[in-house]
Amino acid sequence: GQQVMQIPQYQHVQEGEDFTTYCNSSTTLSNIQWYKQRPGGHPVFLIQLVKSGEVKKQKRLTFQFGEAKKNSSLHITATQTTDVGTYFCAGPRPESGGSYIPTFGRGTSLIVHP
Amino acid sequence: GAVVSQHPSWVICKSGTSVKIECRSLDFQATTMFWYRQFPKQSLMLMATSNEGSKATYEQGVEKDKFLINHASLTLSTLTVTSAHPEDSSFYICSATSQGANYGYTFGSGTRLTVV
């Protein structure tokens, strides 16, 4: 079945440095979603990418979907302490048919040092 | 925005007892809800898909007799951990979508279960 791999598992940065997390799928994805989970909290939906090569921005966050729709990335420019958390990508399970059953990557935990 | 309310936030129970966790969609109807389990510093592991008015669909390796799911209404799904044991201690979290999967899933705040 489909696996969504995400790297790195952890990333320590100094405040102000950039951060990138990568998500790779073994199969072509119809779309990919990104979530953020703060320490002790629950995942919060950030964005969905659908089109091949799509790039979307949310302030300092830039999301990309690969041309082959098998990989995606989230880049944060000039990290702040409020960016601390675990970022997950999620893709639909191929065999879910008409329903969307999300498969989550392992997540990348971002630690920002002031 | 869409809100999913999950209760309790945390619970401590004795081995052998059962614990019920509730997940409510407050301002929308959810025909489908997902139940996840999350171990510390790990990803979300899908346990089952809860469907309103029908039996839940469990993931491979998840014991349906141990993790009872009921989705009796369009706004409420419950997960009951029966005969809990220390290895069942974990963070359980539900999710649903209000506008369709393409608009993302809203998660409950999660329930931290500790079995002693």
Side-chain angles (χ1 to χ4, degrees):
Chain A
Q2 171 194 290
Q3 287 189 354
V4 178
M5 312 298 291
Q6 194 171 351
I7 57 170
Q9 186 175 355
Y10 299 97
Q11 184 75 59
H12 290 256
V13 300
Q14 289 295 132
E15 189 172 17
E17 292 182 339
D18 293 354
F19 159 79
T20 304
T21 173
Y22 301 90
C23 190
N24 294 288
S25 170
S26 55
T27 60
T28 301
L29 300 169
S30 58
N31 59 67
I32 193 161
Q33 298 180 346
W34 285 91
Y35 293 79
K36 176 184 178 181
Q37 183 175 23
R38 293 182 184 274
H42 58 277
V44 174
F45 174 73
L46 295 177
I47 207 163
Q48 174 171 284
L49 304 173
V50 179
K51 299 177 182 178
S52 170
E54 187 171 15
V55 178
K56 286 188 176 181
K57 291 189 175 183
Q58 289 180 352
K59 296 183 180 179
R60 293 179 294 104
L61 277 61
T62 301
F63 304 84
Q64 294 189 348
F65 201 9
E67 294 290 341
K69 301 182 73 173
K70 285 188 174 183
N71 58 76
S72 180
S73 66
L74 159 58
H75 179 82
I76 302 179
T77 304
T79 55
Q80 300 175 358
T81 54
T82 52
D83 295 325
V84 167
T86 301
Y87 294 83
F88 293 98
C89 61
R93 183 186 297 181
E95 64 270 22
S96 51
S99 59
Y100 187 124
I101 299 177
T103 300
F104 284 83
R106 190 173 184 176
T108 297
S109 293
L110 171 62
I111 301 99
V112 179
H113 299 278
Chain B
V3 176
V4 173
S5 176
Q6 184 171 344
H7 293 283
S9 298
W10 58 270
V11 57
I12 301 173
C13 71
K14 293 184 177 180
S15 289
T17 61
S18 296
V19 174
K20 179 184 283 189
I21 302 170
E22 291 189 350
C23 187
R24 293 180 184 272
S25 55
L26 294 187
D27 48 2
F28 66 98
Q29 294 180 333
T31 55
T32 300
M33 287 187 177
F34 296 107
W35 285 96
Y36 295 88
R37 183 173 180 176
Q38 186 176 36
F39 292 102
K41 301 186 185 302
Q42 293 194 22
S43 187
L44 299 153
M45 184 189 78
L46 181 64
M47 299 175 65
T49 302
S50 173
N51 302 297
E52 186 269 336
S54 64
K55 292 182 179 180
T57 303
Y58 290 82
E59 293 299 296
Q60 190 173 9
V62 178
E63 299 177 58
K64 61 179 181 180
D65 293 331
K66 180 167 187 61
F67 298 100
L68 300 178
I69 291 175
N70 184 279
H71 197 153
S73 76
L74 286 171
T75 59
L76 174 65
S77 176
T78 61
L79 167 67
T80 301
V81 183
T82 63
S83 187
H85 292 281
E87 57 265 31
D88 298 325
S89 298
S90 190
F91 188 61
Y92 294 88
I93 192 164
C94 61
S95 76
T97 181
S98 61
Q99 297 177 280
N102 290 334
Y103 293 88
Y105 284 88
T106 300
F107 284 81
S109 54
T111 298
R112 186 153 311 276
L113 171 64
T114 302
V115 185
V116 298

